[in-house]
Amino acid sequence: MEYIKAFVTGGLICVVGQILIDKTKLTPARILVAFVTAGVFLQLIGVYQYLVDFGGAGATVPLTGFGYTLCRGVERAVEESGWIGVLTGGLKASAGGIAAAMIFGFLAAVIFKSKPRK
């Protein structure tokens, strides 16, 4: 049942993104930023944690989940270190994901050769 909840949760987040792409003139970059910002905002008002509890990876893997992770990191760092945590918490919480993206991106660039566009 956990897999179904994750699939439905992640799928609904993706449906919202697809609707934004199809029905608005927003660029993909603006939609991505909106998703991260929405994750932060929903965590700030206490709603996103319920979504994570229900959907698990379906809520934490999409870009809204990245915003959630940033916000949670800042919240924890502020509790531990005070206001300096505002500057360090988001990076500390998301460092593993950012590092993995950089490493896998580098490996993909080394393994595969790019082709010029025609």
Side-chain angles (χ1 to χ4, degrees):
M1 193 64 181
E2 232 175 277
Y3 294 127
I4 293 171
K5 288 180 181 180
F7 179 78
V8 169
T9 304
L12 288 174
I13 292 171
C14 291
V15 165
V16 170
Q18 190 63 48
I19 289 170
L20 288 173
I21 289 170
D22 291 344
K23 301 293 183 186
T24 68
K25 294 187 182 216
L26 291 172
T27 63
R30 289 184 180 185
I31 293 171
L32 296 176
V33 170
F35 270 30
V36 173
T37 306
V40 170
F41 179 73
L42 291 173
Q43 177 58 24
L44 279 175
I45 62 173
V47 174
Y48 206 82
Q49 186 61 48
Y50 294 114
L51 193 60
V52 170
D53 292 342
F54 174 80
T60 58
V61 171
L63 279 171
T64 50
F66 181 67
Y68 158 79
T69 300
L70 289 173
C71 189
R72 291 272 307 197
V74 169
E75 288 172 343
R76 288 181 185 158
V78 167
E79 288 174 7
E80 295 171 3
S81 308
W83 285 103
I84 193 72
V86 171
L87 302 173
T88 62
L91 289 175
K92 188 186 284 187
S94 62
I98 293 170
M102 291 175 63
I103 290 168
F104 291 127
F106 174 75
L107 289 175
V110 168
I111 294 171
F112 302 104
K113 294 188 182 220
S114 63
K115 298 175 185 162
R117 284 187 153 176
K118 294 180 181 181

